[in-house]
Amino acid sequence: MFTLPQPKEVETIDGCPAVPLTDVLADFEDVMRAIYDPFHFDTLSPEAGLSAVITFISGILRVSTKYNMHVLRSKCISIIAHKFPSTLAGCDRVLSAQSVYEPSDIVRVIPLARETNVPEVLPWAYYLCTHIPTTKLINDSVLSWRDKALCLAGKEKLWEAQKTITHTVLFEFTRSPTCTIGCTSRLPTMGWRDTETLRASPHPLEEYTGMAALKFCAKCQAQMETQHRTGREKVWEMLPEIFQLGTWLDIRRDQSC
């Protein structure tokens, strides 16, 4: 390889051939900092918001993906995955922490994940996008029309899942076979305004904490809690398919390629 003839006219820097790169200069500068400064990632505060996280890792992730810099790529993925979980336990963590996701930041993640082949973050990113008001989502200049369509169609599927899988107690209650006090007469009443609020921003993965307040018997409450828990697990497994991403197994296999 070293005996191959070199071009007669080639740009050099300090006598060394210069190789032109098509990468964004700022992205490459970020990579150089990450390579030569062993504490570069420590400069990102653990409390940093999503906007700061995306800005910090985007350039490094793009370049490290392009040039197969596996260590840097893995580090960037671990940082963004902390905000966009790929497990139900991770989902519960961000929900309990009441993490703040601004719409303008969420929509930046989707094209970045597609460009750099990080599909693990997409299901939660799409899920969050379904909470963006429809008009604002349609007028967004970052998302593609395909992504907008996936979000809008996904919103309807999430609403159906909330009604029939995770939060059925709010819409249709089935009494426990061992109930002896007629709990069906204590069903909560949902006004049309409450229903419309839920439909406009479905959240089937949210833990329902109002079971005790419904004052059902212990048998019925236990049945409802089990149904709610297993329902959330089921919807989480369905999440990639809701947004036409295959299964979680497909996603992990694709990302490892």
Side-chain angles (χ1 to χ4, degrees):
M1 181 177 70
F2 294 104
T3 61
L4 290 175
Q6 299 298 311
K8 292 182 179 180
E9 296 183 5
V10 62
E11 182 183 356
T12 62
I13 299 177
D14 295 334
C16 299
V19 179
L21 301 176
T22 58
D23 307 287
V24 176
L25 178 59
D27 291 354
F28 212 80
E29 288 176 341
D30 285 344
V31 170
M32 292 298 101
R33 293 189 187 96
I35 291 175
Y36 289 102
D37 180 1
F39 302 106
H40 178 67
F41 285 99
D42 293 337
T43 63
L44 179 66
S45 170
E47 307 302 323
L50 181 56
S51 179
V53 168
I54 297 172
T55 300
F56 187 91
I57 64 118
S58 291
I60 303 173
L61 182 57
R62 277 191 286 264
V63 174
S64 63
T65 299
K66 179 178 178 180
Y67 295 107
N68 294 320
M69 300 176 177
H70 299 296
V71 174
L72 289 181
R73 172 175 160 81
S74 296
K75 181 64 176 178
C76 291
I77 291 175
S78 68
I79 292 173
I80 195 66
H82 190 71
K83 300 283 188 181
F84 292 84
S86 58
T87 64
L88 182 56
C91 170
D92 289 339
R93 172 182 52 77
V94 297
L95 290 178
S96 63
Q98 298 183 333
S99 300
V100 177
Y101 295 89
E102 294 294 338
S104 58
D105 298 327
I106 302 168
V107 297
R108 293 172 61 193
V109 169
I110 292 176
L112 176 65
R114 289 196 178 281
E115 179 187 358
T116 58
N117 189 33
V118 189
E120 270 192 347
V121 306
L122 287 174
W124 186 243
Y126 278 124
Y127 185 92
L128 294 174
C129 279
T130 65
H131 296 165
I132 299 175
T134 300
T135 302
K136 188 172 184 177
L137 182 67
I138 291 175
N139 292 328
D140 180 77
S141 61
V142 176
L143 291 178
S144 68
W145 280 106
R146 179 178 183 275
D147 287 329
K148 293 175 184 179
L150 288 174
C151 291
L152 293 174
K155 176 182 286 192
E156 295 304 316
K157 294 176 183 177
L158 291 175
W159 171 230
E160 188 64 24
Q162 187 161 359
K163 290 188 297 181
T164 62
I165 301 176
T166 61
H167 292 68
T168 54
V169 65
L170 298 178
F171 305 95
E172 183 180 0
F173 171 67
T174 301
R175 186 173 60 180
S176 169
T178 56
C179 174
T180 58
I181 62 173
C183 284
T184 50
S185 63
R186 305 182 184 185
L187 280 174
T189 56
M190 288 280 290
W192 71 268
R193 293 183 186 276
D194 297 326
T195 303
E196 182 61 19
T197 298
L198 290 176
R199 188 203 64 78
S201 187
H203 196 356
L205 291 173
E206 181 180 36
E207 283 196 85
Y208 182 63
T209 58
M211 296 290 188
L214 298 178
K215 297 182 179 180
F216 289 112
C217 72
K219 297 291 186 180
C220 286
Q221 182 170 329
Q223 175 177 281
M224 289 187 298
E225 289 173 346
T226 299
Q227 184 181 50
H228 179 57
R229 182 178 63 256
T230 57
R232 291 181 72 242
E233 292 169 354
K234 181 178 180 180
V235 170
W236 181 262
E237 288 303 313
M238 293 167 51
L239 200 58
E241 297 179 47
I242 287 175
F243 299 107
Q244 297 185 14
L245 296 168
T247 66
W248 283 110
L249 182 61
D250 294 332
I251 284 176
R252 294 183 180 107
R253 183 179 61 246
D254 292 343
Q255 186 165 308
S256 65
C257 295

